[in-house]
Amino acid sequence: MHSIRDIANMFDETKWGKDFTRPEVEAIARFMSLHNYVQGQIIFKQGERQSYMAFIVEGRVDILKESLDDLEQIVVTLNPRTHFGEMAFVDDEPRSASAIARDDVTLLVLSVDNFERIVEQYPAIAIKMLRNIARMISQRLRMTTGKLVYTRV
């Protein structure tokens, strides 16, 4: 069993950790759970309704998108210290892609229910977290918009 301090240390090592003070990291860690997946295991499938985001502690995760002909294509491989799942976390829509463990993977998971508890108990931390999510989604949208412009030429 991992202690809150262990989880806080793992979260502190993610790219998000740098945006929060140590007391904030420890507060967030109280609401996270640790999950392990073996290589090739499905973390979630496109179209599923699951409301959580995950931070990769160890291993890599492939994000796959299903095409109209039911073929899956790797969109991106995510490395340790990064995160995924924030879109369904925010909009409560079905997963827009699948996530599969490329290696043995350890994730820190934050459910929407636990995030709501952070909102109630630590509103300033919750605002910082939402700003991080908004910034990440904005950056991805800008990249996508840039790719669309290049494909139209």
Side-chain angles (χ1 to χ4, degrees):
M1 188 73 181
H2 291 279
S3 69
I4 298 299
R5 178 171 288 166
D6 292 337
I7 291 174
N9 288 341
M10 290 178 213
F11 183 63
D12 213 10
E13 291 297 315
T14 69
K15 290 181 180 175
W16 273 49
K18 66 178 172 35
D19 295 330
F20 297 91
T21 65
R22 182 61 190 196
E24 290 171 335
V25 165
E26 290 176 4
I28 295 166
R30 283 188 236 141
F31 298 94
M32 297 181 117
S33 56
L34 204 57
H35 297 255
N36 295 297
Y37 296 87
V38 296
Q39 181 181 11
Q41 187 174 0
I42 296 169
I43 299 167
F44 57 72
K45 291 285 287 172
Q46 182 174 327
E48 289 181 350
R49 285 193 172 271
Q50 299 173 332
S51 299
Y52 68 84
M53 63 183 295
F55 301 85
I56 304 171
V57 176
E58 292 177 355
R60 294 172 297 165
V61 173
D62 286 333
I63 304 299
L64 298 98
K65 188 83 173 154
E66 200 172 285
S67 62
L68 295 175
D69 53 8
D70 289 336
L71 294 173
E72 287 187 326
Q73 186 172 13
I74 295 175
V75 176
V76 67
T77 298
L78 300 172
N79 294 312
R81 301 182 59 234
T82 59
H83 70 283
F84 61 95
E86 70 280 351
M87 284 175 51
F89 185 82
V90 170
D91 66 14
D92 199 32
E93 291 291 321
R95 296 290 186 185
S96 62
S98 299
I100 297 177
R102 177 172 274 236
D103 313 301
D104 290 349
V105 171
T106 301
L107 302 176
L108 287 173
V109 170
L110 178 64
S111 69
V112 169
D113 290 342
N114 278 343
F115 178 71
E116 293 298 331
R117 291 180 182 95
I118 294 172
V119 169
E120 291 169 12
Q121 296 178 33
Y122 305 99
I125 294 173
I127 289 169
K128 281 176 83 170
M129 294 177 79
L130 286 173
R131 287 179 114 161
N132 266 10
I133 292 169
R135 186 171 51 249
M136 304 288 173
I137 291 174
S138 174
Q139 287 170 350
R140 289 181 187 160
L141 182 58
R142 287 176 188 274
M143 284 177 24
T144 302
T145 303
K147 287 178 184 174
L148 289 174
V149 167
Y150 290 120
T151 56
R152 290 189 68 200
V153 174

